[in-house]
Structure formats: structure tokens, C-alpha cells
Amino acid sequence: MPVFDTPIHTNDDNLKKVLAQNLPVLLYLYDSRQKPDGAVADAVNTVARKHAGAVLIAQIDIATNPKTYQEYGRPTTPAVVGLAQDRFHRKVKSQADNVRPGDVRAHVAYLLDKGPLPTPAAKPAPPPANASGGKVEHVTDANFKQKVLNSKVPVLVDFWAPWCGPCRMIAPVVEQLAKDYAGQVKMVKLNVDENPVTGGQFQVRSIPTLMIFRDGRLLERQIGANPQAIRQLIENALQPIR
């Protein structure tokens, strides 16, 4: 039998052949219709290399393989199912949905009798009371202090105007970032034409200008429609204070 040091891509029709191999199998279920979780995918590739010859890692896209998705209880992806061979048939030894990289490693260790049965992850805590919940909020001169400077989470402020082409171009990026960082960072927009006081206070001379605030302090600013630079502002604001 060949040694596989990378995950095996399989489907509803071929999964039975994969499970017929005389090795424990970690089945990784993902959904190609959703934004991929790179950290989990990297963990799947890593355990495949590390434990080549001892365990098979098989991955299957539930978007095109509904039979397998249904068979294993329609889990929230990314999900893993640990399968081991007993005397007569293949059985589920462990299972988890909405997994993180550590879960992948823990389930492989359990399959190889090198660790305990992984416990289900605790439900995530609700977002802070003044987090945006994945939506972009419009703020004004009148409520800027309350909504931005007094926020318990970092706030990305998009200084814009309706006539500004680059501002309109970057708007979908800010909306997507609001979803990506829901519960961690609040995204707000401030129309500089209608709210000149705040724009003047923070010396906004060109738009779009994006600023990230934390604990009432301006941390960084980015001028221009650069999606990667804007994402980096957010990542920097989420780093621990040194």
C-alpha cells in the first residue's frame, strides 16, 4: 500500500475505497462555497506529512458530496471525523465540527492512541456589547466620541464622501472586513462633507482616509484605497499591547 503524505481528495463515490485501507482515517469535511480557513487547512496538511504511513487524511467538499455530508450528521464545517477499523467494520471513533487547528491535531492523536478523546469546544462568548456584529455603521460629529473613542473594541473609521470614486471603490472591502472581524472590531464610516469637525480634528486632507482607534487612541492611519493595508491596520490593532 502506498504511503500518503498529503491529504487524499475524495468524493461520495470513492470514499468507500479510502475507508477500505487498513489504517485509521481522519476525514476532513469543508465547504468550497465558504471562505477557506487557511489555518485549519494548513493543520490538515501538516498532520498528513507528520503521520504519513500511520493515518490517512482524506478531505471531501460537502458542496458537491451531499451523501457524505448527510451520513456524518451535516456538521458545521470545517469538521473532522476520526474513523478506525474494528474487527468487522469501520466505525466513528471521534467527531467534531467548527474545528480549529488544535482540534485537527488532537483528533489525529486520539486515532493513534497518543492522546485522550478530544472534548467539544466551548461555545464562543458573545461579542462585546458595542461590537458592530458584522455591519458598517455611520457615525457623525455628534456621536463620534461615544461610538468610536469610548468603544470597548477597536474601531476602524472610514472617512469618505459620496462624490469620491476611490471611496466608493473601497466600500465593499470595508463591508467585507466588518463581516470577517465581526465581534472583534467595529467598522464605521464618517461623511466628511456632513461632519467637518471630526475630519478637521484628525487632519483629514485626502479621502478615503482610514484610521484605527483602540481605547480612545488613534493607532494608525491609511490614505487611499489599499485593501491589504486596511486589513493590516486591523491586524495591528488586535495585537496585545506591549
Side-chain angles (χ1 to χ4, degrees):
M1 174 182 152
V3 174
F4 295 94
D5 61 357
T6 58
I8 301 169
H9 293 265
T10 188
N11 54 41
D12 284 345
D13 296 330
N14 293 324
L15 181 59
K16 188 174 181 179
K17 295 179 182 178
V18 174
L19 298 182
Q21 304 300 318
N22 191 28
L23 282 175
V25 175
L26 184 79
L27 184 61
Y28 167 54
L29 295 94
Y30 68 98
D31 189 342
S32 61
R33 296 165 297 189
Q34 299 176 349
K35 180 180 178 181
D37 190 320
V40 174
D42 287 346
V44 171
N45 287 317
T46 298
V47 296
R49 289 193 301 270
K50 183 177 180 180
H51 300 289
V55 63
L56 284 177
I57 309 297
Q59 57 186 35
I60 188 164
D61 180 5
I62 67 166
T64 52
N65 296 280
K67 181 180 176 182
T68 300
Y69 182 46
Q70 181 69 35
E71 181 177 352
Y72 292 108
R74 301 173 63 84
T76 301
T77 56
V80 293
V81 181
L83 298 133
Q85 186 75 36
D86 67 8
R87 184 176 177 184
F88 301 106
H89 62 280
R90 183 75 67 168
K91 67 177 183 179
V92 174
K93 192 175 181 182
S94 67
Q95 189 167 355
D97 59 2
N98 198 25
V99 296
R100 305 302 306 143
D103 301 316
V104 175
R105 294 188 289 269
H107 281 265
V108 170
Y110 180 65
L111 274 178
L112 297 175
D113 296 321
K114 295 181 178 180
L117 175 65
T119 56
K123 292 183 178 180
N130 58 353
S132 63
K135 296 182 179 180
V136 179
E137 182 179 353
H138 288 263
V139 298
T140 65
D141 285 341
N143 64 15
F144 188 86
K145 180 177 179 180
Q146 175 193 352
K147 297 288 187 178
V148 176
L149 302 183
N150 292 342
S151 174
K152 295 180 180 178
V153 297
V155 185
L156 181 79
V157 183
D158 176 9
F159 292 86
W160 74 293
W163 49 263
C164 168
C167 297
R168 294 195 301 270
M169 183 182 75
I170 207 66
V173 174
V174 176
E175 291 172 2
Q176 183 59 51
L177 289 170
K179 296 175 183 177
D180 292 348
Y181 291 93
Q184 301 178 73
V185 176
K186 179 162 47 173
M187 310 290 174
V188 305
K189 296 169 71 73
L190 185 136
N191 184 327
V192 295
D193 285 348
E194 296 178 351
N195 301 278
V197 175
T198 304
Q201 178 184 352
F202 291 99
Q203 300 179 351
V204 176
R205 298 187 176 92
S206 178
I207 54 174
T209 289
L210 295 105
M211 301 184 191
I212 191 80
F213 292 80
R214 185 172 70 179
D215 298 328
R217 295 188 304 111
L218 170 62
L219 297 183
E220 292 183 82
R221 71 174 67 206
Q222 164 64 34
I223 299 173
N226 184 332
Q228 188 56 45
I230 298 169
R231 183 178 290 272
Q232 192 59 54
L233 288 182
I234 298 171
E235 289 292 335
N236 291 347
L238 292 174
Q239 297 301 311
I241 298 176
R242 296 181 179 180

